[in-house]
Amino acid sequence: MEPKIRSLTSAGSTSGASAKPGASANRAAASGGRNALALLSYEADIRAQATPEELRYHYANETRTLIPYGQLFLFRRQGVPAQMQVVTASSLASVDRNAPLIRWLERVVKRVEAEAGLAEPVAFTAAAYADADDPELDEFPFGELMWTPLSGREDRWAGGALYARDRAWSPSERTLAERLAGTYAHALDALEPARRPLAKTRLTPRGRRILIASLIGTALFPVRLSVVAPVEVVPARAFVMAAPIDGVVDRILVAPNARVEKDQPLFVMDDTTLRNEAALALERRRVAEARYRRAASAAFRDPEEAREIAIAEAEFDLARAEADYASDQLALTEVRAPRAGIAVYSDRRDLEGKGVGVGERVMTIADPMAVEYSVELPPGDLIDLDTGAAVNIYLDSAPLSTINAGLDRVAYQTTKTSDGRDVFRLFAEPDADEAPQRIGARGSARIFGDWVPLIYRVLRRPLAAARQAIGL
């Protein structure tokens, strides 16, 4: 490589047979000093540019003072997919990328990159990398081209400069163009804003194949299909305390979630009507009993009265049955616990004074050590679930703890919740080593289904919504 100072020499040699050796050396030193000062002054002018646009315009137009050329084009790697595109051209205020000349130059540079590469300076003719029938070969007056790459330290700028003229390039001009490219690249690197790491990543064909294979492998990676739904801790095998008769709940005798013993009174129904009916039934029994005894006594004196004994006895049996029934109904007004446990209901104020029918639930008696988890799964989240599927419970009262459970049963029909939502009821039983949780606690449950590709898990709901929207 020749010294760069030779690329700036503009005068020919003046050595002759009669010239003194000392005078020739002095003239060469003076010429070299002027060229070095010119180059330093030019680089100072480069650093004076304030914006990337001004610097690119300076590169495209002012470089002619050092390197004679017909036209200069600045390229930058950009777009999707990333490729070399003309961003600045000498003697033009702006570049129209749809212009035939610009598109032709970009095709030429693309072929040079494919065959020779753009990482190193290269001089070539336009005809060597263009189609023979390209009209630009005849219309563009400059057939000798020279490519000089541009690359800053932080890789914010990736591109190059394409010089064009009608005569071949000398080695000294190539050296000078390379030196100028390094100076301009450094300046562009300082003025250009920082680019995102993804934006400056250049993948080789092998890297692209690896990336595509990685994406396909990630998309097909098997994962467990799962859904998340609200969950509540409910008693398992709870005994329902229903209203034994039609009537009104008079008093609740136990507090919510209070522990109760077997045969302990739980609540009392209003007995006003039943108490009066029992009293009337008792009086009717006494009247029927008196008639029966009178008929039995009269039968000893008058055989004709013996015929009334059967009727009086039937009336007495009927009155006695009615009295017993009224007494039994009155006894049902006080409801007692059939076993020990806790009384589960919301609030006594919601029950006292409430009219209920026979069989309507008032409260439940539950064993606090036997609980299960009731999951409210929306129909849109329903997936194929098998009995025994893994369920992870995350209660709001213990957000850092995970409770392991297994799916026990799934309802086949939806039910309405208190807020009017349609849900499928799922019930899960905790694992044997899990401690029982407080009845009534709420949280979230993740129910796991079959193994599926990751891409299916990601696109399952969008695909379902799309099918519902377009009807396919």
Side-chain angles (χ1 to χ4, degrees):
M1 182 179 293
E2 298 183 14
K4 292 181 172 59
I5 193 169
R6 293 190 57 189
S7 64
L8 300 177
T9 303
S10 58
S13 173
T14 59
S15 63
S18 60
K20 297 180 179 180
S24 175
N26 291 338
R27 284 193 298 271
S31 176
R34 287 193 299 272
N35 290 334
L37 291 175
L39 184 58
L40 291 175
S41 176
Y42 189 84
E43 291 183 346
D45 193 23
I46 292 175
R47 289 193 295 270
Q49 307 304 313
T51 64
E53 292 76 15
E54 293 178 2
L55 186 60
R56 292 198 300 268
Y57 187 82
H58 185 277
Y59 192 175
N61 293 278
E62 300 300 326
T63 313
R64 189 180 282 109
T65 61
L66 300 178
I67 303 176
Y69 59 81
Q71 202 163 5
L72 188 149
F73 303 89
L74 290 181
F75 284 73
R76 186 174 189 179
R77 190 177 299 278
Q78 58 189 9
V80 179
Q83 58 184 356
M84 290 295 181
Q85 298 179 358
V86 179
V87 293
T88 307
S90 60
S91 305
L92 295 178
S94 61
V95 174
D96 181 9
R97 293 199 58 255
N98 293 320
L101 175 62
I102 300 300
R103 299 178 69 86
W104 177 70
L105 289 173
E106 290 178 352
R107 290 198 302 272
V108 170
V109 170
K110 185 176 181 179
R111 289 189 178 180
V112 174
E113 180 179 17
E115 298 182 15
L118 300 177
E120 300 293 336
V122 57
F124 57 93
T125 62
Y129 293 96
D131 296 332
D133 56 350
D134 284 346
E136 286 78 7
L137 282 176
D138 298 328
E139 297 175 1
F140 191 55
F142 310 115
E144 296 291 336
L145 305 178
M146 179 175 61
W147 170 266
T148 306
L150 285 169
S151 180
R153 289 182 304 172
E154 299 183 9
D155 203 18
R156 297 181 185 176
W157 177 278
L162 184 67
Y163 296 83
R165 70 181 185 187
D166 54 2
R167 66 180 187 277
W169 303 93
S170 67
S172 61
E173 289 173 330
R174 298 178 189 177
T175 302
L176 181 57
E178 185 178 1
R179 167 61 184 270
L180 290 175
T183 303
Y184 276 106
H186 185 275
L188 284 169
D189 201 26
L191 293 178
E192 285 287 335
R195 301 171 68 189
R196 295 174 302 199
L198 182 62
K200 65 182 182 182
T201 301
R202 295 191 300 271
L203 293 177
T204 63
R206 181 173 179 272
R208 286 194 293 268
R209 290 194 295 270
I210 293 175
L211 178 60
I212 293 174
S214 300
L215 292 176
I216 295 176
T218 302
L220 299 180
F221 187 80
V223 295
R224 291 287 295 272
L225 186 62
S226 63
V227 291
V228 178
V231 66
E232 181 183 5
V233 182
V234 297
R237 300 176 297 277
F239 192 90
V240 177
M241 302 304 300
I245 57 175
D246 293 333
V248 176
V249 178
D250 185 25
R251 285 172 295 131
I252 301 293
L253 305 178
V254 294
N257 299 324
R259 179 172 291 276
V260 297
E261 301 298 332
K262 184 178 180 181
D263 294 330
Q264 179 179 341
L266 300 177
F267 61 93
V268 176
M269 304 290 293
D270 181 69
D271 62 351
T272 303
T273 303
L274 292 176
R275 189 172 61 252
N276 294 331
E277 289 181 353
L280 292 175
L282 183 58
E283 293 298 325
R284 286 195 294 269
R285 174 185 173 181
R286 291 173 180 172
V287 172
E289 184 179 7
R291 288 178 179 174
Y292 171 69
R293 289 178 178 177
R294 187 187 64 179
S297 300
F300 288 103
R301 298 188 301 268
D302 186 357
E304 295 294 333
E305 293 292 337
R307 293 176 299 180
E308 299 294 331
I309 293 178
I311 298 175
E313 184 179 8
E315 290 178 350
F316 172 64
D317 292 340
L318 177 61
R320 182 171 54 187
E322 291 177 348
D324 292 341
Y325 175 76
S327 179
D328 292 340
Q329 290 291 97
L330 184 61
L332 292 176
T333 57
E334 183 180 75
V335 180
R336 295 176 177 271
R339 65 184 185 185
I342 59 173
V344 180
Y345 68 96
S346 58
D347 189 348
R348 68 175 65 195
R349 290 174 296 183
D350 296 336
L351 297 176
E352 291 180 343
K354 178 184 178 182
V356 293
V358 176
E360 185 174 348
R361 185 174 65 177
V362 177
M363 63 178 66
T364 56
I365 302 300
D367 182 0
M369 302 304 294
V371 298
E372 62 183 359
Y373 302 98
S374 174
V375 182
E376 299 175 351
L377 185 63
D381 291 337
L382 185 63
I383 58 176
D384 291 336
L385 297 171
D386 297 327
T387 302
V391 181
N392 289 342
I393 309 296
Y394 311 97
L395 296 180
D396 296 338
S397 57
L400 300 181
S401 301
T402 301
I403 301 172
N404 298 317
L407 189 63
D408 181 54
R409 59 192 185 278
V410 181
Y412 288 97
Q413 293 181 340
T414 60
T415 58
K416 282 193 176 295
T417 61
S418 57
D419 55 359
R421 295 181 295 113
D422 289 328
V423 297
F424 285 97
R425 293 281 184 183
L426 284 67
F427 294 91
E429 291 187 348
D431 292 351
D433 56 347
E434 294 290 348
Q437 302 297 316
R438 183 180 181 275
I439 295 175
R442 288 182 171 271
S444 300
R446 179 177 292 276
I447 307 101
F448 293 92
D450 297 331
W451 290 88
V452 296
L454 177 61
I455 188 66
Y456 176 80
R457 177 173 178 176
V458 173
L459 298 180
R460 182 180 68 88
R461 301 209 47 185
L463 288 175
R467 292 194 63 181
Q468 293 175 2
I470 63 180
L472 293 180

